[in-house]
Amino acid sequence: MIAILPLKERGWICTACVPLLLLVLLCLVVPVSAAGDPRDGVRLSGVTYLGDLPTLIAEEEGFFASQGLDIDVIRRDSGRDNLKALKAGHTDFALMALSPLVLDRLATIGPSRPNEPVILASLVYSARLNHVVVKRAGRIRQPSDLEGKRVGLMKGTNSEYLWWLFSIYHRLDSSRVTVVDIPAADQPEALMAGEVDALVTWEPWTSRLANRAEGAIQTLAGSELYAENWVLVSTRETASQRADTVLRILQAYRDAIDSIQTHPVQSREKYAEFMDLDPETALRESRLPHFGLNLDWSLLFDLQQMVQWAEKAGKTERFEAPNILSWIEPELMRRLLPLHVGIPSLDLAERAPPP
């Protein structure tokens, strides 16, 4: 039996219509983003880099798509280029090492701004991604032989930071070394043509050099001094206004990293195929780097070390001690994976008493 209910000053309505009316009202009130629109368009800047393997796996294996993301991945030569694209509004999310981010934030210390870059998560922490390499047939046998020589690297990237650590560790007279700024894609040819005597570079360029001829290059001791955090960065405004999108991207990266850890051989082969490397000789080491989605104390330590590098190496015109916690937005990672966030919230850190 269908009952008829009175509506004040509006006549009558049957009870069978009530659920339909409620559904219509709900659709009008709830914003599209909260409903998880499967057509959520995202621009993401990655790099042709072994450390960015989770982006490749998330794209190729459909983990972005399974999160309802219509994602456009553009790969540039370096995280430095990705940061420029992010700040220019040409991308929504960018992958990078810490060095370009630190240099940028030190140059723009001041009140918080909606378009300033913030770290959302770290994807890898490894000392096996960057190398100081020379031609095996050349005259350089040990790091001290680099004095009086030319070293090629891409300035404003983690290569420059590694070279700084490498020089200090081996007590090189940096005034006797000529550093040449070379884009990553041009580095292999520069070394083989004799334009430089050594390179500070990364995968896949090391594998491409090694594949040019049997035993073409050797890695100098000390390359492992730098353990890199490879991070996902967006703007503060995006993190605030597109929180649902950020959470879905983080989940896609979590699924991709789980896949890499479960199928390391297949992931390695997929990387070699995508980068057009010989699968038999691709990658200098058989083991993949340690991938993991987190925000932990290693990130804070590395940020602090790079701040010191920027000051001592004269990479910033003015120096003011920054609050590096303000460079990180941990709350979305804390919502998704609370046990993977080992750093304090900014508000808690500000309220803490001085030591």
Side-chain angles (χ1 to χ4, degrees):
M1 178 177 180
I2 298 178
I4 304 297
L5 299 178
L7 290 180
K8 185 179 293 185
E9 301 178 358
R10 295 301 300 265
W12 304 84
I13 188 170
C14 68
T15 55
C17 299
V18 172
L20 179 59
L21 286 175
L22 290 175
L23 180 60
V24 171
L25 289 173
L26 184 62
C27 291
L28 292 173
V29 172
V30 177
V32 173
S33 60
D37 186 355
R39 295 167 297 176
D40 191 359
V42 175
R43 299 168 300 168
L44 186 146
S45 292
V47 175
T48 54
Y49 179 44
L50 180 58
D52 206 23
L53 180 59
T55 300
L56 174 63
I57 297 301
E59 184 183 21
E60 294 286 303
E61 297 297 325
F63 295 124
F64 286 134
S66 67
Q67 291 297 319
L69 298 166
D70 180 13
I71 198 156
D72 180 20
V73 178
I74 300 174
R75 289 180 172 83
R76 296 177 168 85
D77 277 349
S78 72
R80 183 192 70 179
D81 294 340
N82 286 348
L83 180 58
K84 289 180 179 178
L86 180 69
K87 295 190 68 178
H90 297 156
T91 191
D92 304 307
F93 298 88
L95 282 302
M96 66 193 68
L98 297 181
S99 44
L101 180 69
V102 168
L103 294 175
D104 176 82
R105 295 307 305 266
L106 287 177
T108 55
I109 288 179
S112 177
R113 302 174 307 282
N115 65 338
E116 67 185 13
V118 289
I119 298 170
L120 301 174
S122 176
L123 275 65
V124 63
Y125 185 69
S126 175
R128 303 201 308 272
L129 290 165
N130 303 276
H131 310 95
V132 181
V133 300
V134 298
K135 287 192 290 188
R136 188 174 293 277
R139 297 180 179 180
I140 299 173
R141 295 287 181 266
Q142 54 191 357
S144 60
D145 295 336
L146 290 172
E147 292 188 356
K149 302 298 191 299
R150 297 155 300 173
V151 175
L153 53 80
M154 191 172 182
K155 289 187 176 181
T157 68
N158 52 3
S159 293
E160 195 170 12
Y161 179 65
L162 171 56
W163 172 247
W164 182 72
L165 291 175
F166 185 92
S167 301
I168 292 175
Y169 180 77
H170 290 294
R171 300 181 180 180
L172 299 178
D173 183 352
S174 57
S175 67
R176 297 191 59 213
V177 179
T178 301
V179 174
V180 183
D181 187 8
I182 305 176
D186 298 335
Q187 290 177 359
E189 197 59 44
L191 180 65
M192 301 311 292
E195 297 173 15
V196 293
D197 304 291
L199 288 176
V200 187
T201 191
W202 54 74
E203 289 289 353
W205 312 113
T206 46
S207 286
R208 286 176 177 162
L209 276 165
N211 290 348
R212 301 264 307 235
E214 184 66 29
I217 60 171
Q218 65 173 345
T219 301
L220 296 180
S223 295
E224 68 283 353
L225 289 168
Y226 169 43
E228 177 194 342
N229 265 295
W230 184 249
V231 294
L232 174 67
V233 175
S234 189
T235 64
R236 193 173 300 281
E237 183 177 40
T238 297
S240 172
Q241 298 186 2
R242 301 182 68 183
D244 177 68
T245 299
V246 174
L247 286 169
R248 285 189 272 162
I249 288 176
L250 291 173
Q251 181 61 56
Y253 273 119
R254 181 190 185 187
D255 294 340
I257 290 171
D258 286 345
S259 179
I260 293 170
Q261 293 172 341
T262 305
H263 308 289
V265 175
Q266 294 90 327
S267 298
R268 187 175 183 272
E269 291 174 348
K270 188 174 291 292
Y271 175 80
E273 178 183 3
F274 187 83
M275 299 301 171
D276 195 25
L277 301 172
D278 182 349
E280 297 298 323
T281 59
L283 311 187
R284 310 295 320 281
E285 300 182 30
S286 58
R287 293 179 300 154
L288 288 173
H290 176 68
F291 294 97
L293 193 67
N294 57 60
L295 288 170
D296 59 27
W297 285 95
S298 70
L299 177 61
L300 297 183
F301 175 79
D302 284 354
L303 284 170
Q304 188 61 51
Q305 289 291 98
M306 289 208 173
V307 168
Q308 294 178 11
W309 159 65
E311 179 187 13
K312 294 177 180 178
K315 295 299 176 183
T316 178
E317 293 183 1
R318 62 182 179 84
F319 184 77
E320 178 182 339
N323 183 350
I324 59 176
L325 275 175
S326 69
W327 299 352
I328 307 169
E329 175 46 71
E331 297 313 314
L332 295 173
M333 264 291 292
R334 205 185 304 277
R335 283 169 56 182
L336 181 68
L337 296 168
L339 297 181
H340 291 220
V341 180
I343 61 175
S345 297
L346 179 60
D347 58 341
L348 293 177
E350 290 175 339
R351 290 199 300 266

